[in-house]
Amino acid sequence: MIWKEILIRYGELSTKGRNKMDFIRRLRENIRHAFADLGHLHIRTERDRMFIAIQDETQMDALLKGLPKIFGIQSFSPVAACEKDIDAMKKLAITIMDTFKNEQQLTFKVEVKRTDKTFPLESHAIQREIGGFVLPQYKNLSVKVKKPDIELRVEVRHDATYMMAQVIPGAGGMPVGSNGKSLLMLSGGIDSPVAGYLMMKRGVRLEAIHFFSPPYTSQNSLEKVKVLANELTKFGASIRLHVIPFTEIQVLIKEKVPSNVSMTTTRRMMLKVADKVREEIDALAIVTGESLGQVASQTLESLTAINAVTNTPILRPLISSDKLEIIDIAEKIGTYETSIQPFEDCCTIFTPASPKTKPKLEKVEHYESFSDFDELIERAVKNREVYIFPKKEQEADKFADLL
Ligand code: ATP
Ligand code: MG
């Protein structure tokens, strides 16, 4: 096997000092966690880059497939190695450049660094030898010194010669966990998993909360949410899902609150419950999939009336996104197919025919004041069920079969 290691370039690293160390440490842990199946990985970190030693082809394949999903990586390059012998080096250069042989016209240069000064050829000579050997063998290559498409980097170190040319884009963002923890309100819809993904991209570790109203919502709709939670774990961290029994509260709202503001009250109660769970799990913020104007509960007036139940920051990464933009991301991250499965969520069933788009906070508070919601909220929080993801493959398949 020619591959020796993978070089990883860090993503957005504007912060300095301690934070930078935390970023690097977190990224290393997330990589270990994501590839735990591969056994212990040898990872060497430097200020600006990280190296994962490659032991065999299986490891290489798994890393090439999985690294583009890990937040905090700008780009990465497979690094090959050979003996410190000019013929071996030429041969390896060809193996590497073969990766590009089916592409369009490309510009190219060879860049040499000679760390081992005892090597008989000096840098320029190595560059000429390798460049002169490679160039005539590919019709789609021409030399360009400034900003070529491909830079074949050759480094003659003491133990061997290292070479790389491919630069594979990473997911960008920041390592999950480097920006604290938030609670994601996860429905079975298209938006909330995307909102969760975007926060993970900014380094936020998630727990999720789902409101479940049996028998008005089916077991299948809950299984769907579990699949979504499990799918989000692919982006770098485990997720705990808190499932809240919400029927009692919804029934009371339907009985006691006029139907045109019942949606607002439902959202307010959800947020109150979420805030209590958030406090218990030491999360700093709540994340939702709300997008301005998408439905009656997402006008600025509605959001204001809903938000009034708490001072906790509510993060709404999709607030300015169009539905089509959200769908694009959902397809890219693999949650779309699950989200469009047609199981009602708890709100479809209780949705009033004509919800107010401009609810008045004082009125909503007035209607709510005749019932003791707090006791039901305490009970819902206490009686929640908690699931941990990722699920083992087998069990995840079982959920998928249900859909
Ligand atoms: P989504 O596609 O995420 O369901 P939506 O466009 O259907 O969003 P709503 O149903 O109004 O919008 O929900 C707005 C947000 O409220 C959701 O994105 C989600 O964060 C939260 N939410 C709604 N229903 C639930 C639920 N049953 N459990 C947890 N969170 C929910
Ligand atoms: Mg929804």
Side-chain angles (χ1 to χ4, degrees):
M1 189 189 59
I2 60 168
W3 303 113
K4 191 81 181 168
E5 58 194 19
I6 290 182
L7 177 155
I8 290 174
R9 298 170 197 86
Y10 303 140
E12 191 174 321
L13 250 184
S14 52
T15 43
K16 296 206 174 74
R18 252 189 91 84
N19 286 341
K20 184 164 175 167
M21 293 310 294
D22 281 350
F23 180 111
I24 295 171
R25 197 174 318 121
R26 185 74 65 168
L27 178 59
R28 189 177 53 200
E29 275 167 27
N30 290 355
I31 291 174
R32 284 202 195 292
H33 181 82
F35 300 101
D37 294 356
L38 300 179
H40 184 78
L41 288 176
H42 294 275
I43 302 178
R44 195 171 88 246
T45 57
E46 291 177 5
R47 276 177 59 81
D48 305 315
R49 49 198 199 161
M50 184 182 280
F51 296 90
I52 308 177
I54 303 294
Q55 266 118 33
D56 54 49
E57 298 273 355
T58 321
Q59 269 193 354
M60 185 67 181
D61 291 347
L63 287 162
L64 286 180
K65 199 157 153 247
L67 283 175
K69 292 202 187 90
I70 309 259
F71 293 126
I73 297 178
Q74 178 75 44
S75 64
F76 61 96
S77 297
V79 182
C82 68
E83 289 159 46
K84 289 191 293 180
D85 166 83
I86 193 69
D87 289 329
M89 284 151 70
K90 286 177 182 170
K91 209 170 130 210
L92 183 59
I94 293 294
T95 312
I96 291 176
M97 293 309 294
D98 272 351
T99 335
F100 304 100
K101 71 177 173 211
N102 294 324
E103 293 189 19
Q104 302 281 309
Q105 206 59 34
L106 292 168
T107 55
F108 148 92
K109 80 165 170 185
V110 181
E111 190 67 37
V112 178
K113 191 169 160 195
R114 191 177 58 138
T115 313
D116 176 5
K117 301 289 180 209
T118 65
F119 190 73
L121 291 171
E122 52 88 34
S123 299
H124 271 99
I126 301 172
Q127 193 179 8
R128 268 196 311 276
E129 284 278 338
I130 295 182
F133 185 73
V134 166
L135 206 56
Q137 306 202 32
Y138 299 95
K139 286 201 193 78
N140 63 341
L141 283 191
S142 57
V143 174
K144 188 173 171 216
V145 179
K146 275 198 183 143
K147 293 205 177 161
D149 300 320
I150 305 169
E151 196 173 301
L152 176 64
R153 272 182 245 171
V154 179
E155 190 179 338
V156 185
R157 292 190 214 158
H158 290 278
D159 59 333
T161 302
Y162 291 75
M163 246 180 246
M164 68 177 153
Q166 262 174 297
V167 179
I168 303 167
M174 305 171 95
V176 176
S178 61
N179 268 328
K181 184 165 77 174
S182 292
L183 180 62
L184 169 67
M185 293 179 66
L186 184 61
S187 70
I190 296 169
D191 305 331
S192 44
V194 173
Y197 162 84
L198 291 174
M199 292 320 299
M200 288 171 96
K201 182 168 186 201
R202 294 307 296 167
V204 174
R205 180 182 294 281
L206 295 178
E207 297 206 15
I209 185 169
H210 177 69
F211 296 87
F212 181 46
S213 302
Y216 304 102
T217 43
S218 65
Q219 192 62 31
N220 280 349
S221 73
L222 175 59
E223 296 306 325
K224 173 177 159 181
V225 172
K226 290 182 186 169
V227 173
L228 288 170
N230 198 50
E231 274 166 6
L232 283 177
T233 64
K234 286 189 207 141
F235 300 98
S238 53
I239 291 181
R240 276 202 300 175
L241 171 67
H242 304 257
V243 176
I244 304 287
F246 200 54
T247 316
E248 218 180 12
I249 296 177
Q250 285 213 290
V251 169
L252 186 64
I253 295 172
K254 200 165 168 66
E255 274 172 23
K256 297 290 167 72
V257 178
S259 76
N260 60 355
V261 293
S262 65
M263 176 56 84
T264 313
T265 295
T266 306
R267 296 293 177 200
R268 284 163 55 86
M269 296 307 149
M270 281 187 177
L271 196 52
K272 279 192 184 187
V273 172
D275 206 27
K276 288 214 181 306
V277 173
R278 176 205 61 79
E279 208 178 328
E280 276 189 29
I281 64 172
D282 275 333
L284 291 173
I286 292 172
V287 180
T288 77
E290 286 156 324
S291 158
L292 194 62
Q294 202 185 74
V295 287
S297 61
Q298 296 175 23
T299 62
L300 276 183
E301 289 82 358
S302 284
L303 293 176
T304 306
I306 296 165
N307 220 146
V309 301
T310 178
N311 287 325
T312 300
I314 314 290
L315 308 176
R316 302 180 172 96
L318 300 178
I319 200 71
S320 69
S321 304
D322 296 346
K323 195 75 189 185
L324 288 179
E325 292 169 332
I326 300 172
I327 289 175
D328 258 5
I329 304 178
E331 283 177 333
K332 195 182 81 191
I333 66 175
T335 54
Y336 183 70
E337 287 302 319
T338 309
S339 288
I340 58 171
Q341 299 290 327
F343 304 123
E344 335 62 33
D345 67 31
C346 59
C347 304
T348 334
I349 289 184
F350 290 92
T351 303
S354 49
K356 271 207 180 314
T357 53
K358 297 187 177 179
K360 289 266 176 305
L361 179 58
E362 310 79 66
K363 289 219 166 131
V364 177
E365 283 175 341
H366 171 74
Y367 294 132
E368 289 171 7
S369 68
F370 301 103
S371 314
D372 186 6
F373 284 105
D374 288 347
E375 194 197 327
L376 302 198
I377 288 174
E378 292 295 338
R379 195 154 54 225
V381 171
K382 202 167 119 255
N383 292 338
R384 70 186 190 268
E385 285 182 8
V386 181
Y387 302 84
I388 296 179
F389 300 96
K391 278 274 165 196
K392 295 205 172 57
E393 286 297 324
Q394 249 178 347
E395 285 174 68
D397 284 350
K398 224 162 62 194
F399 292 140
D401 287 347
L402 279 168
L403 296 177

